[in-house]
Amino acid sequence: MSSGVMRPLVNSAETALSAAAYAFWPWSGALHTPNLHIALLFAALACIVRPTSGALWLCAGLALLARQTRASRAFHIMLTALAIGMAALAAMLGIDYLGYRRWVFPPYQFYQFNVHEGLATWFGESHPLYHLYVSMPILFTSMLPFVLHGVYVAARHRAASCEPAAVALGASILFSLVGHMEYRFLYPLLPIGFVYAAVSISSLTSKAAGSAKHPQKPASLPASRAWSAKRISAMLLVTNVAPALYLNLVHQRGVVDVMGYLRQGALSGTVQSVGFLMPCHSTPFYSHLHVNIPMWFLSCEPPLVKSDLESHYWEADDFEQRPAEFIHGIFETADAPKRAPRSKPSHLVLYDCMARRIHSTLSELSYRECGRFFNTHFSGDSRRKGDVVVYCQA
């Protein structure tokens, strides 16, 4: 979760609320004192923050109802969930009304855009098994073998309830039914995985068999085969902390460093306006600049109806295909039918891979390189390779 900033920030909040709900949820064989009301309250808040949490809590609710032997108890659970859900819905509508100054229902818009129109694929279409071979390894990294072993230990030795694992599996399947997937969508499953990793590590490092007082505790490995807790901890620290430091302090740092450079220039008056000739949303925006100067970036708004999916125009793609013509079009042609003409900014920001393609064009427009910032040693996106380069008007 070290990357839980910027776009995944809302997913991190969703995960924190989900973890709180897990702590009070009445799992089968739970050793703690559950409180369904508190659990549903946190779950409702998670759904307000991100409506897709509903898929996770649908699975948890169905698992809970399936365990009930009395219809009256099941009815009480559904009634409680309905009451808390309606209260949360009313709160969400009120908050959105304060923000939009009109009544809106974001979950419906989410469904309309992502499910009914299927426009989520505009942001990239994923393989149905994406969460299995991409999301899980990214989220759990070197802890993934311990998570899987912990589920096995829980099922084999009844060391813990398997219900959370079943809920996580069901939610993963539901999340895999949409065309566009990202690993951050599975953030709420992290607390569940960590619990099973703890079960695994506990069983591997224990040297004494479970006693009669704790029949739920699995028989551990013999002392000669027991793993060292220090070794496991060291391995997890090295394989998680080192990559986290690199990914947060080194990898793709140029897109943030350049904003500090622009901010200082804006405060001193040398940077008067900025244009970002990059794939849209490559850098932070006013959240890092904190100075009211004109800025723009290449548009990439998705279409609003599925019928426009193939023919929809977006500037970022046009620029990538014909960068020189695009620049002349937006800066010099006042009647371009699709592009919105813009005044020449005092500074342009772009990736080095694109700067090499249009250096002569920028020189013709009286731009020269005035700043360069290391960004990354590697990139999976060919459009984002190399340093972040700043050009300013000569």
Side-chain angles (χ1 to χ4, degrees):
M1 289 184 64
S2 59
S3 61
V5 294
M6 297 178 68
R7 280 189 68 202
L9 179 60
V10 67
N11 300 96
S12 298
E14 174 195 16
T15 302
L17 292 169
S18 298
Y22 296 151
F24 293 98
W25 190 259
W27 302 106
S28 63
L31 299 180
H32 66 285
T33 302
N35 189 317
L36 183 62
H37 294 78
I38 297 179
L40 288 173
L41 176 60
F42 281 116
L45 291 174
C47 292
I48 291 177
V49 170
R50 187 167 171 80
T52 50
S53 268
L56 170 64
W57 293 106
L58 173 64
C59 295
L62 291 176
L64 177 61
L65 291 174
R67 285 193 284 108
Q68 306 308 312
T69 57
R70 293 184 301 169
S72 59
R73 174 58 180 167
F75 179 77
H76 174 73
I77 292 174
M78 290 188 290
L79 192 63
T80 302
L82 178 63
I84 295 178
M86 293 300 293
L89 180 63
M92 181 191 71
L93 291 173
I95 294 172
D96 287 332
Y97 180 80
L98 292 175
Y100 292 100
R101 296 299 179 184
R102 59 188 177 90
W103 294 109
V104 295
F105 188 58
Y108 172 75
Q109 300 297 333
F110 180 91
Y111 168 82
Q112 189 75 9
F113 183 90
N114 291 282
V115 181
H116 184 263
E117 292 290 344
L119 292 173
T121 54
W122 169 261
F123 302 102
E125 194 163 0
S126 307
H127 190 277
L129 298 179
Y130 176 90
H131 285 319
L132 178 64
Y133 64 78
V134 175
S135 299
M136 292 297 182
I138 288 178
L139 289 176
F140 294 106
T141 60
S142 59
M143 199 175 292
L144 183 58
F146 296 102
V147 174
L148 298 177
H149 179 251
V151 174
Y152 168 78
V153 170
R156 180 72 180 273
H157 301 288
R158 298 182 181 180
S161 171
C162 289
E163 187 177 316
V167 169
L169 176 62
S172 299
I173 293 174
L174 290 180
F175 289 143
S176 298
L177 298 180
V178 296
H180 175 69
M181 296 175 236
E182 299 179 30
Y183 72 88
R184 63 190 180 94
F185 296 168
L186 297 191
Y187 268 23
L189 304 187
L190 280 170
I192 293 177
F194 291 157
V195 168
Y196 286 109
V199 171
S200 170
I201 295 172
S202 176
S203 69
L204 291 172
T205 57
S206 176
K207 293 183 179 181
S211 64
K213 293 183 179 180
H214 301 284
Q216 76 282 359
K217 186 176 180 180
S220 61
L221 295 172
S224 59
R225 296 178 56 197
W227 290 30
S228 166
K230 291 183 179 180
R231 290 181 181 177
I232 295 178
S233 299
M235 185 273 289
L236 291 177
L237 284 174
V238 170
T239 55
N240 284 274
V241 174
L245 291 174
Y246 173 79
L247 293 174
N248 282 275
L249 301 178
V250 180
H251 183 61
Q252 295 184 349
R253 65 171 297 161
V255 293
V256 176
D257 290 344
V258 72
M259 298 307 296
Y261 169 83
L262 295 174
R263 170 175 165 77
Q264 293 301 320
L267 291 173
S268 65
T270 57
V271 177
Q272 299 175 352
S273 56
V274 184
F276 294 88
L277 295 175
M278 316 168 82
C280 51
H281 310 300
S282 290
T283 69
F285 213 52
Y286 286 109
S287 63
H288 280 56
L289 198 72
H290 299 294
V291 182
N292 188 19
I293 62 173
M295 296 199 301
W296 53 263
F297 56 86
L298 302 178
S299 66
C300 60
E301 293 86 356
L304 298 179
V305 292
K306 193 172 185 178
S307 58
D308 294 339
L309 194 59
E310 296 297 329
S311 60
H312 184 67
Y313 173 82
W314 46 307
E315 288 183 332
D317 181 65
D318 191 4
F319 173 68
E320 181 68 24
Q321 301 300 324
R322 304 179 302 119
E325 294 85 347
F326 179 90
I327 291 176
H328 283 297
I330 62 171
F331 289 158
E332 297 180 357
T333 303
D335 58 350
K338 291 182 178 179
R339 297 186 288 263
R342 301 179 173 95
S343 59
K344 291 171 60 177
S346 66
H347 289 68
L348 289 171
V349 183
L350 59 162
Y351 285 106
D352 184 55
C353 59
M354 178 56 70
R356 297 179 183 180
R357 294 174 58 184
I358 60 172
H359 178 76
S360 59
T361 302
L362 295 177
S363 297
E364 293 174 8
L365 295 172
S366 301
Y367 283 100
R368 61 176 178 81
E369 181 179 328
C370 56
R372 179 177 288 266
F373 301 88
F374 167 79
N375 190 53
T376 178
H377 292 107
F378 61 91
S379 175
D381 189 339
S382 61
R383 303 171 302 166
R384 292 182 164 92
K385 289 186 176 180
D387 298 337
V388 174
V389 185
V390 181
Y391 278 78
C392 54
Q393 284 188 317

